[in-house]
Amino acid sequence: MAGTAEELEARLDRGDWLLPGEVAKLLGIDRTTVIRAYLNPDPPRIRYRRRAGAGGYRECHPDDVRRELNARRQVHGE
């Protein structure tokens, strides 16, 4: 997992899919909030895919993460 919000945003700009914890760091919210409010609703506010393998971790769609990040910045005047 990348360290800083700047590194995560650079990955997002490259089109990388991010883990919920990374999305949480980028949006400045808790990881459980990302899962509960963005991934679990039907339909989800942020689309995701399951990572292949034993863990089956969710990875968040970069376009949706960018949309939520931009919306959050508009609300907070960033």
Side-chain angles (χ1 to χ4, degrees):
M1 189 155 47
T4 68
E6 292 80 19
E7 291 169 333
L8 290 171
E9 193 159 359
R11 288 183 50 212
L12 192 63
D13 290 341
R14 287 194 310 262
D16 291 355
W17 290 59
L18 303 180
L19 297 171
E22 296 170 327
V23 174
K25 187 171 202 171
L26 203 53
L27 297 179
I29 58 178
D30 191 73
R31 182 176 95 45
T32 57
T33 302
V34 170
I35 293 168
R36 187 177 59 248
Y38 292 87
L39 303 182
N40 285 349
D42 188 20
R45 289 175 57 187
I46 294 177
R47 292 172 287 169
Y48 64 89
R49 64 185 182 193
R50 294 270 182 190
R51 215 183 241 187
Y57 297 105
R58 290 188 257 197
E59 297 176 309
C60 301
H61 194 291
D63 293 342
D64 294 353
V65 175
R66 172 61 65 192
R67 182 193 66 236
E68 293 298 333
L69 180 60
N70 289 340
R72 192 162 188 83
R73 286 179 172 161
Q74 285 182 341
V75 168
H76 296 287
E78 294 178 24

Coordinates of all heavy atoms in Angstrom, one line a residue:
M1 N 0.8 -1.2 0.0 CA 0.0 0.0 0.0 C 0.9 1.2 0.0 O 1.9 1.3 0.7 CB -0.9 0.0 1.2 CG -2.0 1.0 1.2 SD -3.5 0.8 2.1 CE -3.1 0.3 3.7
A2 N 0.6 2.2 -0.9 CA 1.4 3.4 -1.0 C 1.3 4.3 0.3 O 0.3 4.2 1.0 CB 0.9 4.3 -2.2
G3 N 2.3 5.1 0.6 CA 2.3 5.8 1.8 C 1.5 7.1 1.9 O 0.7 7.3 2.7
T4 N 1.7 8.0 0.9 CA 1.1 9.3 1.0 C -0.1 9.5 0.1 O -0.2 8.7 -0.9 CB 2.1 10.4 0.7 OG1 2.4 10.3 -0.7 CG2 3.4 10.3 1.5
A5 N -0.9 10.5 0.4 CA -2.1 10.8 -0.5 C -1.6 11.2 -1.9 O -2.2 10.8 -2.9 CB -2.9 11.9 0.1
E6 N -0.4 11.8 -2.0 CA 0.1 12.3 -3.3 C 0.5 11.0 -4.1 O 0.2 11.0 -5.3 CB 1.3 13.2 -3.1 CG 1.0 14.5 -2.5 CD 0.8 14.5 -1.0 OE1 1.3 13.6 -0.3 OE2 0.1 15.5 -0.5
E7 N 1.1 10.0 -3.4 CA 1.4 8.8 -4.2 C 0.2 8.1 -4.6 O 0.1 7.6 -5.7 CB 2.3 7.9 -3.3 CG 3.7 8.4 -3.0 CD 4.4 7.6 -1.9 OE1 3.7 7.1 -1.0 OE2 5.6 7.6 -1.9
L8 N -0.8 8.0 -3.8 CA -2.1 7.4 -4.1 C -2.7 8.1 -5.3 O -3.3 7.5 -6.2 CB -3.0 7.3 -2.9 CG -2.6 6.4 -1.8 CD1 -3.5 6.6 -0.6 CD2 -2.6 4.9 -2.3
E9 N -2.7 9.4 -5.3 CA -3.3 10.2 -6.4 C -2.6 10.0 -7.7 O -3.2 9.9 -8.8 CB -3.4 11.7 -6.0 CG -4.3 12.4 -7.0 CD -4.9 13.7 -6.4 OE1 -4.6 14.1 -5.3 OE2 -5.6 14.3 -7.2
A10 N -1.3 9.8 -7.6 CA -0.5 9.6 -8.8 C -0.8 8.2 -9.3 O -1.0 8.0 -10.6 CB 1.0 9.6 -8.5
R11 N -1.0 7.2 -8.5 CA -1.5 5.9 -8.9 C -2.8 6.0 -9.6 O -3.1 5.3 -10.6 CB -1.5 4.9 -7.8 CG -0.1 4.5 -7.3 CD -0.1 3.5 -6.2 NE -1.0 2.4 -6.5 CZ -1.6 1.7 -5.6 NH1 -1.5 2.0 -4.3 NH2 -2.4 0.7 -5.9
L12 N -3.7 6.7 -9.0 CA -5.1 6.9 -9.5 C -5.0 7.5 -10.9 O -5.7 7.1 -11.8 CB -5.9 7.8 -8.6 CG -7.3 7.9 -8.8 CD1 -8.0 6.6 -8.6 CD2 -7.9 9.0 -7.8
D13 N -4.1 8.5 -11.1 CA -3.9 9.2 -12.4 C -3.4 8.2 -13.4 O -3.7 8.3 -14.6 CB -3.0 10.3 -12.3 CG -3.5 11.5 -11.5 OD1 -4.8 11.6 -11.4 OD2 -2.8 12.4 -11.0
R14 N -2.7 7.2 -13.0 CA -2.2 6.1 -13.9 C -3.3 5.1 -14.2 O -3.1 4.2 -15.1 CB -1.0 5.4 -13.3 CG 0.3 6.2 -13.3 CD 1.5 5.3 -13.0 NE 1.3 4.4 -11.8 CZ 1.8 4.7 -10.6 NH1 2.4 5.8 -10.4 NH2 1.6 3.8 -9.6
G15 N -4.4 5.2 -13.5 CA -5.5 4.2 -13.8 C -5.4 3.0 -12.9 O -6.1 2.0 -13.2
D16 N -4.6 3.0 -11.8 CA -4.5 1.9 -10.9 C -5.8 1.8 -10.1 O -6.4 2.7 -9.7 CB -3.4 2.1 -9.9 CG -2.0 2.0 -10.6 OD1 -1.9 1.7 -11.8 OD2 -1.0 2.2 -9.9
W17 N -6.2 0.5 -9.9 CA -7.3 0.2 -9.0 C -6.8 0.3 -7.6 O -5.7 -0.3 -7.3 CB -7.9 -1.1 -9.3 CG -8.6 -1.2 -10.6 CD1 -8.1 -0.9 -11.8 CD2 -10.0 -1.5 -10.8 NE1 -9.1 -1.1 -12.8 CE2 -10.3 -1.4 -12.2 CE3 -11.1 -1.9 -10.0 CZ2 -11.5 -1.7 -12.8 CZ3 -12.3 -2.1 -10.5 CH2 -12.5 -2.0 -11.9
L18 N -7.5 0.9 -6.6 CA -7.0 1.0 -5.3 C -7.8 0.2 -4.3 O -9.0 -0.1 -4.5 CB -7.2 2.5 -4.8 CG -6.4 3.5 -5.7 CD1 -6.7 4.9 -5.1 CD2 -5.0 3.3 -5.8
L19 N -7.2 -0.2 -3.2 CA -7.8 -1.0 -2.1 C -8.7 0.0 -1.3 O -8.4 1.2 -1.3 CB -6.8 -1.6 -1.3 CG -5.9 -2.7 -1.9 CD1 -4.8 -3.1 -1.0 CD2 -6.8 -3.9 -2.3
P20 N -9.7 -0.5 -0.6 CA -10.5 0.4 0.2 C -9.8 1.2 1.2 O -10.1 2.4 1.4 CB -11.5 -0.6 0.9 CG -11.6 -1.7 0.0 CD -10.2 -1.9 -0.6
G21 N -8.7 0.7 1.8 CA -7.9 1.4 2.8 C -7.2 2.6 2.1 O -7.0 3.7 2.7
E22 N -6.8 2.4 0.9 CA -6.1 3.4 0.1 C -7.1 4.5 -0.3 O -6.8 5.7 -0.2 CB -5.4 2.9 -1.1 CG -4.3 1.9 -0.8 CD -3.8 1.1 -2.0 OE1 -4.6 0.8 -2.9 OE2 -2.6 0.8 -2.0
V23 N -8.3 4.1 -0.7 CA -9.4 5.1 -1.0 C -9.7 5.9 0.2 O -9.9 7.1 0.1 CB -10.6 4.4 -1.5 CG1 -11.8 5.3 -1.7 CG2 -10.3 3.6 -2.9
A24 N -9.8 5.2 1.4 CA -10.1 5.9 2.6 C -9.0 7.0 2.9 O -9.4 8.1 3.3 CB -10.1 4.9 3.8
K25 N -7.8 6.7 2.7 CA -6.7 7.6 3.0 C -6.8 8.8 2.0 O -6.7 10.0 2.4 CB -5.3 6.9 2.8 CG -4.2 7.8 3.2 CD -2.9 7.0 3.2 CE -1.9 7.7 4.1 NZ -0.7 6.8 4.3
L26 N -7.1 8.5 0.8 CA -7.3 9.6 -0.2 C -8.4 10.5 0.1 O -8.3 11.7 -0.1 CB -7.4 8.9 -1.6 CG -7.1 9.7 -2.8 CD1 -5.7 10.3 -2.8 CD2 -7.2 8.8 -4.1
L27 N -9.6 9.9 0.5 CA -10.8 10.7 0.8 C -10.8 11.3 2.2 O -11.6 12.1 2.5 CB -12.0 9.9 0.6 CG -12.3 9.3 -0.8 CD1 -13.5 8.5 -0.8 CD2 -12.4 10.5 -1.8
G28 N -9.8 10.9 3.1 CA -9.8 11.4 4.4 C -10.9 10.8 5.3 O -11.4 11.6 6.2
I29 N -11.3 9.6 5.1 CA -12.3 8.9 5.9 C -11.8 7.6 6.3 O -10.7 7.1 5.9 CB -13.6 8.8 5.1 CG1 -13.4 8.0 3.8 CG2 -14.2 10.2 4.8 CD1 -14.7 7.8 3.0
D30 N -12.6 6.9 7.1 CA -12.2 5.6 7.6 C -12.5 4.5 6.6 O -13.4 4.6 5.8 CB -13.1 5.3 8.9 CG -12.6 4.1 9.6 OD1 -11.5 4.2 10.3 OD2 -13.2 3.0 9.6
R31 N -11.7 3.4 6.6 CA -11.9 2.3 5.7 C -13.2 1.7 5.8 O -13.8 1.3 4.8 CB -10.7 1.3 5.9 CG -10.8 0.1 5.0 CD -9.7 -0.8 5.2 NE -9.8 -2.0 6.0 CZ -10.8 -2.8 6.0 NH1 -11.9 -2.7 5.3 NH2 -10.8 -3.9 6.8
T32 N -13.7 1.5 7.0 CA -15.1 0.9 7.1 C -16.1 1.8 6.5 O -17.2 1.3 6.0 CB -15.4 0.6 8.6 OG1 -15.3 1.8 9.4 CG2 -14.5 -0.4 9.2
T33 N -16.0 3.1 6.5 CA -16.9 4.0 5.8 C -16.9 3.8 4.3 O -17.9 3.8 3.7 CB -16.6 5.5 6.2 OG1 -16.6 5.6 7.6 CG2 -17.6 6.4 5.5
V34 N -15.7 3.6 3.8 CA -15.6 3.3 2.3 C -16.4 2.0 2.0 O -17.2 2.0 1.1 CB -14.1 3.2 1.9 CG1 -14.0 2.6 0.5 CG2 -13.4 4.5 2.0
I35 N -16.2 1.0 2.8 CA -16.9 -0.2 2.5 C -18.4 -0.1 2.7 O -19.2 -0.5 1.9 CB -16.3 -1.4 3.4 CG1 -14.9 -1.7 3.0 CG2 -17.2 -2.6 3.4 CD1 -14.1 -2.5 4.0
R36 N -18.8 0.5 3.9 CA -20.2 0.6 4.2 C -21.0 1.5 3.3 O -22.0 1.2 2.8 CB -20.4 1.0 5.6 CG -21.8 1.0 6.2 CD -21.9 1.3 7.6 NE -21.3 2.6 7.9 CZ -20.2 2.9 8.6 NH1 -19.5 1.9 9.1 NH2 -19.8 4.1 8.8
A37 N -20.4 2.7 3.0 CA -21.1 3.8 2.3 C -20.9 3.8 0.8 O -21.7 4.3 0.0 CB -20.8 5.1 2.9
Y38 N -19.7 3.2 0.4 CA -19.4 3.3 -1.1 C -19.4 2.0 -1.8 O -19.7 2.0 -3.0 CB -18.0 4.0 -1.2 CG -18.0 5.4 -0.8 CD1 -17.7 5.8 0.5 CD2 -18.2 6.4 -1.7 CE1 -17.7 7.1 0.9 CE2 -18.1 7.8 -1.4 CZ -17.9 8.1 -0.1 OH -17.9 9.4 0.3
L39 N -19.1 0.9 -1.1 CA -19.0 -0.4 -1.8 C -20.2 -1.3 -1.6 O -20.6 -2.0 -2.5 CB -17.7 -1.1 -1.4 CG -16.4 -0.4 -1.6 CD1 -15.2 -1.3 -1.2 CD2 -16.2 0.1 -3.0
N40 N -20.8 -1.2 -0.4 CA -21.9 -2.2 -0.1 C -23.2 -1.8 -0.6 O -24.0 -2.7 -0.8 CB -21.9 -2.4 1.5 CG -20.8 -3.3 2.0 OD1 -20.1 -3.9 1.2 ND2 -20.7 -3.3 3.3
P41 N -23.6 -0.5 -0.8 CA -24.9 -0.2 -1.4 C -25.1 -0.9 -2.7 O -24.2 -1.3 -3.4 CB -24.9 1.3 -1.5 CG -23.8 1.8 -0.6 CD -22.8 0.7 -0.6
D42 N -26.4 -1.1 -3.0 CA -26.7 -1.7 -4.3 C -27.5 -0.7 -5.1 O -28.7 -0.4 -4.8 CB -27.6 -3.0 -4.1 CG -27.8 -3.7 -5.3 OD1 -27.1 -3.5 -6.3 OD2 -28.7 -4.6 -5.4
P43 N -27.0 -0.1 -6.2 CA -25.6 -0.3 -6.7 C -24.6 0.4 -5.9 O -24.9 1.4 -5.3 CB -25.7 0.2 -8.1 CG -26.7 1.3 -8.0 CD -27.7 0.9 -7.0
P44 N -23.4 0.0 -6.0 CA -22.3 0.6 -5.2 C -22.0 2.0 -5.8 O -22.1 2.3 -7.0 CB -21.1 -0.3 -5.4 CG -21.4 -1.1 -6.6 CD -22.9 -1.2 -6.7
R45 N -21.6 3.0 -4.9 CA -21.2 4.3 -5.3 C -19.8 4.3 -6.0 O -19.5 5.1 -6.9 CB -21.2 5.3 -4.2 CG -22.6 5.6 -3.7 CD -22.5 6.5 -2.4 NE -21.8 7.7 -2.6 CZ -21.6 8.6 -1.6 NH1 -22.0 8.3 -0.4 NH2 -20.9 9.7 -1.8
I46 N -19.0 3.3 -5.6 CA -17.7 3.1 -6.2 C -17.7 1.6 -6.7 O -17.9 0.7 -5.9 CB -16.5 3.3 -5.3 CG1 -16.5 4.8 -4.9 CG2 -15.2 2.8 -5.9 CD1 -15.4 5.1 -3.9
R47 N -17.6 1.4 -8.0 CA -17.5 0.1 -8.5 C -16.2 -0.6 -8.1 O -15.2 0.1 -7.8 CB -17.5 0.1 -10.1 CG -18.9 0.5 -10.6 CD -18.8 0.7 -12.1 NE -18.0 2.0 -12.4 CZ -17.5 2.3 -13.6 NH1 -17.7 1.6 -14.6 NH2 -16.8 3.4 -13.7
Y48 N -16.3 -1.9 -7.9 CA -15.1 -2.6 -7.5 C -15.1 -4.0 -8.2 O -16.0 -4.4 -8.8 CB -15.1 -2.8 -6.0 CG -16.2 -3.6 -5.4 CD1 -16.1 -5.0 -5.3 CD2 -17.4 -3.0 -5.1 CE1 -17.2 -5.8 -4.8 CE2 -18.5 -3.8 -4.6 CZ -18.3 -5.1 -4.5 OH -19.4 -5.9 -4.0
R49 N -13.9 -4.6 -8.1 CA -13.7 -6.0 -8.6 C -13.0 -6.7 -7.4 O -12.4 -6.1 -6.5 CB -12.9 -6.0 -9.8 CG -11.4 -5.5 -9.7 CD -10.7 -5.5 -11.0 NE -9.3 -5.0 -10.7 CZ -8.5 -4.7 -11.7 NH1 -8.9 -4.6 -13.0 NH2 -7.3 -4.3 -11.4
R50 N -13.1 -8.0 -7.5 CA -12.5 -8.9 -6.5 C -11.1 -9.3 -7.1 O -11.0 -9.7 -8.2 CB -13.3 -10.1 -6.2 CG -14.6 -9.8 -5.5 CD -14.4 -9.8 -4.0 NE -15.7 -9.6 -3.3 CZ -15.8 -9.3 -2.1 NH1 -14.7 -9.3 -1.3 NH2 -16.9 -9.1 -1.5
R51 N -10.1 -9.2 -6.3 CA -8.8 -9.6 -6.7 C -8.7 -11.1 -6.7 O -9.3 -11.8 -5.8 CB -7.8 -9.1 -5.6 CG -6.5 -8.7 -6.1 CD -5.6 -8.3 -5.0 NE -5.1 -6.9 -5.1 CZ -4.3 -6.4 -4.3 NH1 -3.7 -7.0 -3.3 NH2 -3.9 -5.1 -4.5
A52 N -8.1 -11.7 -7.7 CA -7.9 -13.1 -7.8 C -7.1 -13.6 -6.7 O -6.2 -12.9 -6.2 CB -7.3 -13.5 -9.2
G53 N -7.3 -14.8 -6.3 CA -6.5 -15.4 -5.2 C -7.2 -15.7 -4.0 O -8.4 -15.4 -3.9
A54 N -6.5 -16.1 -3.0 CA -7.1 -16.5 -1.7 C -7.8 -15.4 -1.0 O -8.9 -15.6 -0.4 CB -6.0 -17.1 -0.8
G55 N -7.3 -14.2 -1.0 CA -7.9 -13.1 -0.2 C -9.1 -12.6 -0.8 O -10.1 -12.2 -0.1
G56 N -9.2 -12.5 -2.1 CA -10.4 -11.9 -2.8 C -10.7 -10.5 -2.4 O -11.8 -10.0 -2.3
Y57 N -9.6 -9.7 -2.1 CA -9.7 -8.3 -1.7 C -10.5 -7.5 -2.8 O -10.3 -7.8 -4.0 CB -8.4 -7.7 -1.5 CG -7.6 -8.3 -0.4 CD1 -6.5 -9.2 -0.7 CD2 -7.9 -8.1 0.9 CE1 -5.8 -9.8 0.4 CE2 -7.2 -8.7 2.0 CZ -6.2 -9.5 1.7 OH -5.5 -10.1 2.7
R58 N -11.2 -6.5 -2.4 CA -11.9 -5.6 -3.3 C -10.9 -4.5 -3.8 O -10.1 -4.0 -3.0 CB -13.1 -5.0 -2.7 CG -14.2 -5.9 -2.4 CD -15.4 -5.2 -2.0 NE -15.6 -5.4 -0.6 CZ -16.7 -5.2 0.1 NH1 -17.8 -4.7 -0.5 NH2 -16.8 -5.4 1.4
E59 N -10.9 -4.2 -5.1 CA -10.2 -3.1 -5.6 C -11.2 -2.2 -6.2 O -12.1 -2.6 -6.9 CB -9.2 -3.6 -6.7 CG -8.2 -4.6 -6.2 CD -7.3 -5.1 -7.3 OE1 -7.9 -5.6 -8.3 OE2 -6.1 -5.1 -7.2
C60 N -11.0 -0.9 -6.0 CA -11.9 0.2 -6.4 C -11.6 0.8 -7.7 O -10.4 1.1 -8.0 CB -12.0 1.2 -5.3 SG -12.4 0.6 -3.7
H61 N -12.6 1.0 -8.5 CA -12.5 1.5 -9.9 C -11.9 2.9 -9.9 O -12.4 3.8 -9.2 CB -13.8 1.5 -10.6 CG -13.7 1.7 -12.1 ND1 -13.4 2.8 -12.7 CD2 -14.0 0.8 -13.1 CE1 -13.4 2.7 -14.0 NE2 -13.8 1.5 -14.2
P62 N -10.8 3.2 -10.6 CA -10.2 4.5 -10.5 C -11.1 5.7 -10.9 O -11.0 6.7 -10.4 CB -9.0 4.4 -11.4 CG -9.2 3.1 -12.2 CD -10.1 2.3 -11.5
D63 N -11.9 5.5 -11.9 CA -12.8 6.6 -12.4 C -13.8 7.0 -11.3 O -14.0 8.2 -11.1 CB -13.6 6.2 -13.6 CG -12.7 6.0 -14.9 OD1 -11.5 6.5 -14.9 OD2 -13.1 5.3 -15.8
D64 N -14.3 6.0 -10.6 CA -15.3 6.3 -9.5 C -14.6 6.9 -8.3 O -15.1 7.8 -7.7 CB -16.0 5.0 -9.1 CG -16.9 4.4 -10.2 OD1 -17.0 5.1 -11.2 OD2 -17.4 3.3 -10.0
V65 N -13.4 6.5 -8.0 CA -12.6 7.1 -6.9 C -12.3 8.5 -7.3 O -12.5 9.4 -6.4 CB -11.3 6.3 -6.6 CG1 -10.5 7.0 -5.6 CG2 -11.6 4.9 -6.2
R66 N -11.9 8.8 -8.5 CA -11.6 10.2 -8.9 C -12.8 11.0 -8.8 O -12.8 12.2 -8.3 CB -11.1 10.1 -10.4 CG -10.9 11.5 -11.0 CD -9.9 12.4 -10.3 NE -8.6 11.9 -10.4 CZ -7.6 12.4 -9.6 NH1 -7.8 13.4 -8.8 NH2 -6.4 11.9 -9.7
R67 N -14.0 10.5 -9.2 CA -15.3 11.3 -9.1 C -15.6 11.6 -7.7 O -15.9 12.8 -7.4 CB -16.4 10.4 -9.7 CG -17.7 11.2 -9.7 CD -18.9 10.2 -10.0 NE -19.0 9.3 -8.9 CZ -19.0 8.0 -9.0 NH1 -18.9 7.4 -10.2 NH2 -19.2 7.2 -8.0
E68 N -15.4 10.7 -6.8 CA -15.7 10.9 -5.4 C -14.7 11.9 -4.8 O -15.0 12.8 -4.0 CB -15.7 9.6 -4.6 CG -16.8 8.7 -4.9 CD -18.2 9.3 -4.6 OE1 -18.4 10.2 -3.8 OE2 -19.2 8.9 -5.3
L69 N -13.4 11.8 -5.2 CA -12.4 12.7 -4.7 C -12.7 14.1 -5.2 O -12.6 15.1 -4.4 CB -11.0 12.3 -5.2 CG -9.8 13.1 -4.8 CD1 -9.7 13.2 -3.3 CD2 -8.5 12.5 -5.4
N70 N -13.0 14.3 -6.4 CA -13.3 15.6 -7.0 C -14.6 16.2 -6.3 O -14.6 17.4 -6.0 CB -13.6 15.6 -8.5 CG -12.3 15.3 -9.2 OD1 -11.2 15.6 -8.7 ND2 -12.4 14.8 -10.5
A71 N -15.6 15.4 -6.0 CA -16.8 15.9 -5.4 C -16.5 16.3 -3.9 O -16.9 17.4 -3.5 CB -17.9 14.8 -5.3
R72 N -15.6 15.6 -3.3 CA -15.2 15.9 -1.9 C -14.4 17.2 -1.9 O -14.6 18.1 -1.0 CB -14.4 14.8 -1.3 CG -14.1 14.9 0.1 CD -13.7 13.5 0.6 NE -13.6 13.5 2.1 CZ -14.7 13.3 2.9 NH1 -15.9 13.1 2.4 NH2 -14.5 13.3 4.2
R73 N -13.6 17.4 -2.9 CA -12.8 18.7 -3.0 C -13.7 19.9 -3.2 O -13.5 21.0 -2.7 CB -11.7 18.5 -4.0 CG -10.6 17.7 -3.6 CD -9.6 17.6 -4.7 NE -8.4 16.9 -4.2 CZ -7.5 16.3 -4.9 NH1 -7.6 16.3 -6.2 NH2 -6.5 15.7 -4.4
Q74 N -14.7 19.7 -4.0 CA -15.7 20.8 -4.3 C -16.4 21.2 -3.0 O -16.6 22.4 -2.7 CB -16.7 20.4 -5.4 CG -16.1 20.5 -6.7 CD -17.1 20.1 -7.8 OE1 -18.2 19.6 -7.5 NE2 -16.8 20.4 -9.0
V75 N -16.8 20.2 -2.2 CA -17.6 20.5 -1.0 C -16.7 21.2 0.0 O -17.1 22.1 0.7 CB -18.1 19.2 -0.4 CG1 -18.6 19.4 1.0 CG2 -19.2 18.6 -1.3
H76 N -15.4 20.7 0.1 CA -14.5 21.3 1.1 C -13.6 22.4 0.6 O -12.7 22.9 1.3 CB -13.6 20.1 1.6 CG -14.3 19.1 2.3 ND1 -14.9 19.3 3.6 CD2 -14.7 17.8 2.0 CE1 -15.5 18.2 4.0 NE2 -15.4 17.3 3.0
G77 N -13.9 22.8 -0.7 CA -13.2 24.0 -1.2 C -11.7 23.8 -1.4 O -10.9 24.7 -1.3
E78 N -11.3 22.6 -1.8 CA -9.9 22.3 -2.0 C -9.5 22.6 -3.4 O -10.2 22.5 -4.3 CB -9.6 20.9 -1.6 CG -9.8 20.6 -0.2 CD -9.5 19.1 0.2 OE1 -8.8 18.4 -0.5 OE2 -10.0 18.7 1.2

